[in-house]
Coordinates of all heavy atoms in Angstrom, one line a residue:
W1494 N 17.7 18.2 12.6 CA 17.3 17.3 11.6 C 17.8 17.7 10.2 O 17.9 18.9 9.8 CB 15.8 17.3 11.4 CG 15.1 16.6 12.4 CD1 15.5 16.0 13.7 CD2 13.7 16.2 12.4 NE1 14.5 15.4 14.2 CE2 13.3 15.5 13.6 CE3 12.7 16.5 11.5 CZ2 12.1 15.0 13.8 CZ3 11.3 16.0 11.7 CH2 11.2 15.2 12.9
D1495 N 18.5 16.8 9.5 CA 18.8 16.8 8.1 C 17.7 16.1 7.5 O 17.6 14.7 7.7 CB 20.1 16.3 7.8 CG 20.5 16.3 6.4 OD1 20.1 15.3 5.6 OD2 21.1 17.3 5.9
M1496 N 16.9 16.5 6.5 CA 15.7 15.9 6.1 C 16.1 14.7 5.2 O 15.4 13.6 5.3 CB 14.8 16.8 5.4 CG 13.9 17.7 6.3 SD 13.2 16.7 7.7 CE 12.2 15.6 6.8
Q1497 N 17.2 14.6 4.5 CA 17.7 13.5 3.8 C 18.0 12.4 4.6 O 17.6 11.2 4.4 CB 18.8 13.9 2.8 CG 19.0 12.8 1.8 CD 19.8 13.3 0.6 OE1 20.2 14.5 0.6 NE2 20.3 12.4 -0.3
V1498 N 18.8 12.7 5.7 CA 19.2 11.7 6.6 C 18.0 11.2 7.4 O 17.8 9.9 7.6 CB 20.3 12.1 7.7 CG1 20.6 11.2 8.7 CG2 21.6 12.5 6.9
M1499 N 17.1 12.0 7.8 CA 16.0 11.6 8.6 C 15.1 10.7 7.8 O 14.5 9.7 8.3 CB 15.2 12.9 9.0 CG 14.0 12.5 9.9 SD 14.4 11.6 11.4 CE 15.2 12.9 12.3
S1500 N 14.9 11.0 6.5 CA 14.0 10.2 5.6 C 14.6 8.9 5.4 O 13.9 7.7 5.5 CB 14.0 10.9 4.2 OG 13.3 10.1 3.3
S1501 N 16.0 8.8 5.3 CA 16.7 7.5 5.1 C 16.5 6.7 6.5 O 16.3 5.4 6.4 CB 18.2 7.8 4.8 OG 18.8 6.5 4.7
M1502 N 16.7 7.3 7.6 CA 16.5 6.5 8.8 C 15.1 6.1 9.0 O 14.9 5.0 9.5 CB 17.0 7.5 10.0 CG 17.1 6.8 11.3 SD 18.3 5.4 11.3 CE 17.9 4.6 12.8
M1503 N 14.1 6.9 8.7 CA 12.7 6.5 8.8 C 12.5 5.3 8.0 O 11.9 4.3 8.4 CB 11.8 7.6 8.5 CG 11.8 8.7 9.4 SD 10.7 10.1 8.9 CE 10.3 10.9 10.4
Q1504 N 12.9 5.3 6.7 CA 12.8 4.1 5.8 C 13.4 2.9 6.3 O 13.0 1.8 6.4 CB 13.2 4.5 4.4 CG 12.3 5.5 3.7 CD 13.0 6.1 2.5 OE1 14.1 5.5 1.9 NE2 12.4 7.1 1.9
T1505 N 14.6 3.1 6.9 CA 15.4 1.9 7.5 C 14.7 1.4 8.7 O 14.6 0.1 8.9 CB 16.9 2.3 7.9 OG1 17.5 2.9 6.7 CG2 17.6 1.4 8.6
T1506 N 14.1 2.2 9.6 CA 13.3 1.8 10.7 C 12.1 1.0 10.3 O 11.9 -0.1 10.8 CB 13.0 3.0 11.6 OG1 14.1 3.7 12.0 CG2 12.2 2.5 12.8
I1507 N 11.5 1.4 9.3 CA 10.3 0.7 8.7 C 10.7 -0.6 8.3 O 10.1 -1.7 8.5 CB 9.6 1.6 7.6 CG1 8.9 2.7 8.3 CG2 8.7 0.7 6.8 CD1 8.3 3.7 7.4
M1508 N 11.8 -0.7 7.4 CA 12.2 -2.0 6.9 C 12.7 -2.9 8.0 O 12.4 -4.1 7.9 CB 13.4 -1.7 5.9 CG 13.0 -1.1 4.6 SD 14.4 -0.7 3.3 CE 15.7 -1.6 3.9
M1509 N 13.4 -2.4 9.0 CA 13.8 -3.3 10.0 C 12.7 -3.8 10.9 O 12.6 -5.0 11.3 CB 14.8 -2.5 11.0 CG 15.4 -3.3 12.1 SD 16.7 -4.4 11.6 CE 16.0 -5.9 12.0
A1510 N 11.7 -2.9 11.2 CA 10.5 -3.4 11.9 C 9.7 -4.4 11.1 O 9.2 -5.4 11.7 CB 9.7 -2.2 12.3
R1511 N 9.6 -4.2 9.9 CA 8.9 -5.2 9.0 C 9.6 -6.6 9.0 O 9.0 -7.6 9.1 CB 8.7 -4.7 7.5 CG 7.7 -3.7 7.4 CD 7.5 -3.4 5.9 NE 6.5 -2.3 5.7 CZ 6.5 -1.4 4.8 NH1 7.5 -1.3 4.0 NH2 5.4 -0.5 4.7
A1512 N 10.9 -6.5 8.8 CA 11.7 -7.8 9.0 C 11.6 -8.5 10.1 O 11.4 -9.7 10.2 CB 13.1 -7.5 8.5
C1513 N 11.6 -7.7 11.3 CA 11.5 -8.3 12.6 C 10.0 -8.9 12.9 O 10.0 -10.1 13.3 CB 11.8 -7.3 13.7 SG 11.9 -7.9 15.4
S1514 N 9.1 -8.2 12.4 CA 7.7 -8.7 12.4 C 7.6 -10.0 11.7 O 7.0 -11.1 12.2 CB 6.8 -7.6 11.9 OG 5.5 -8.2 11.9
A1515 N 8.2 -10.0 10.5 CA 8.0 -11.2 9.6 C 8.6 -12.4 10.3 O 8.1 -13.6 10.4 CB 8.6 -11.0 8.2
E1516 N 9.9 -12.2 10.9 CA 10.6 -13.3 11.6 C 9.8 -13.8 12.9 O 9.6 -14.9 13.1 CB 12.0 -12.8 12.0 CG 12.8 -13.9 12.7 CD 13.0 -15.0 12.0 OE1 13.1 -15.1 10.7 OE2 13.3 -16.2 12.6
C1517 N 9.3 -12.7 13.7 CA 8.6 -13.2 14.9 C 7.3 -13.9 14.5 O 6.8 -14.8 15.3 CB 8.4 -12.0 15.7 SG 9.8 -11.5 16.6
K1518 N 6.6 -13.5 13.4 CA 5.4 -14.1 13.1 C 5.5 -15.7 12.7 O 4.6 -16.5 13.0 CB 4.7 -13.4 11.9 CG 4.1 -12.2 12.3 CD 3.5 -11.3 11.0 CE 2.8 -10.1 11.6 NZ 2.3 -9.3 10.5
T1519 N 6.8 -16.1 12.4 CA 7.0 -17.5 12.1 C 7.0 -18.2 13.4 O 7.0 -19.5 13.3 CB 8.4 -17.7 11.4 OG1 9.5 -17.3 12.2 CG2 8.5 -16.9 10.1
H1520 N 7.2 -17.6 14.4 CA 7.2 -18.3 15.8 C 6.0 -17.9 16.7 O 5.9 -18.4 17.8 CB 8.4 -17.9 16.6 CG 9.7 -18.1 15.9 ND1 10.5 -17.0 15.6 CD2 10.3 -19.2 15.2 CE1 11.7 -17.4 14.8 NE2 11.5 -18.7 14.6
A1521 N 5.1 -17.2 16.2 CA 4.0 -16.5 17.0 C 3.1 -17.5 17.5 O 2.6 -17.3 18.7 CB 3.3 -15.5 16.2
E1522 N 2.8 -18.5 16.9 CA 1.9 -19.6 17.4 C 2.4 -20.4 18.6 O 1.7 -20.9 19.5 CB 1.5 -20.5 16.4 CG 0.6 -19.9 15.4 CD 0.0 -21.0 14.4 OE1 0.0 -22.1 14.7 OE2 -0.4 -20.5 13.3
M1523 N 3.8 -20.4 18.7 CA 4.5 -21.2 19.8 C 5.1 -20.4 20.9 O 5.5 -20.7 22.0 CB 5.5 -22.2 19.3 CG 6.7 -21.6 18.7 SD 7.8 -22.8 18.1 CE 9.2 -21.7 17.6
A1524 N 5.2 -19.0 20.6 CA 5.9 -18.1 21.4 C 5.1 -16.8 21.5 O 5.1 -16.0 20.6 CB 7.3 -17.9 21.0
E1525 N 4.4 -16.6 22.7 CA 3.7 -15.4 23.0 C 4.6 -14.2 22.8 O 4.0 -13.1 22.3 CB 3.1 -15.5 24.4 CG 2.2 -14.2 24.7 CD 0.9 -14.1 23.9 OE1 0.6 -14.9 23.1 OE2 0.3 -13.1 24.2
H1526 N 5.7 -14.2 23.3 CA 6.7 -13.0 23.2 C 6.9 -12.7 21.7 O 7.0 -11.5 21.4 CB 7.9 -13.2 23.9 CG 8.8 -14.4 23.5 ND1 9.7 -14.5 22.4 CD2 8.8 -15.6 24.1 CE1 10.2 -15.6 22.3 NE2 9.7 -16.3 23.3
C1527 N 7.0 -13.6 20.9 CA 7.1 -13.4 19.4 C 5.8 -12.8 18.7 O 5.9 -11.8 18.0 CB 7.5 -14.6 18.5 SG 9.4 -15.1 18.9
R1528 N 4.7 -13.2 19.3 CA 3.4 -12.6 18.8 C 3.2 -11.2 19.2 O 2.9 -10.4 18.4 CB 2.3 -13.5 19.3 CG 0.9 -13.0 18.8 CD -0.3 -13.7 19.5 NE -0.4 -13.2 20.8 CZ -0.8 -12.0 21.2 NH1 -1.3 -11.2 20.3 NH2 -1.0 -11.7 22.6
M1529 N 3.6 -10.9 20.5 CA 3.5 -9.6 21.0 C 4.5 -8.6 20.3 O 4.3 -7.4 20.0 CB 3.8 -9.6 22.5 CG 2.7 -10.2 23.2 SD 2.9 -10.4 25.0 CE 3.3 -8.8 25.5
C1530 N 5.8 -9.2 20.0 CA 6.8 -8.4 19.4 C 6.3 -8.1 17.9 O 6.6 -6.9 17.5 CB 8.2 -9.3 19.4 SG 9.6 -8.3 18.8
A1531 N 5.9 -9.0 17.1 CA 5.4 -8.8 15.8 C 4.3 -7.7 15.8 O 4.3 -6.8 15.0 CB 4.8 -10.0 15.2
M1532 N 3.4 -7.7 16.8 CA 2.3 -6.7 16.9 C 2.9 -5.3 17.1 O 2.5 -4.3 16.6 CB 1.4 -7.1 18.0 CG 0.4 -8.2 17.6 SD -0.8 -8.6 18.9 CE -1.1 -7.1 19.8
A1533 N 3.9 -5.2 18.0 CA 4.5 -4.0 18.3 C 5.3 -3.5 17.1 O 5.3 -2.2 16.8 CB 5.5 -4.1 19.5
C1534 N 6.0 -4.3 16.4 CA 6.7 -3.9 15.1 C 5.6 -3.4 14.1 O 6.0 -2.4 13.5 CB 7.4 -5.0 14.6 SG 8.9 -5.5 15.5

């Protein structure tokens, strides 16, 4: 571990999962897989 790199990757992972969740939530009412994906994100 390099803590600066690890911190950056953790922040990137959080941002990516938030963006994915937001996108999936736009389809969650019509697509169960999107609802489940948003929850996992």
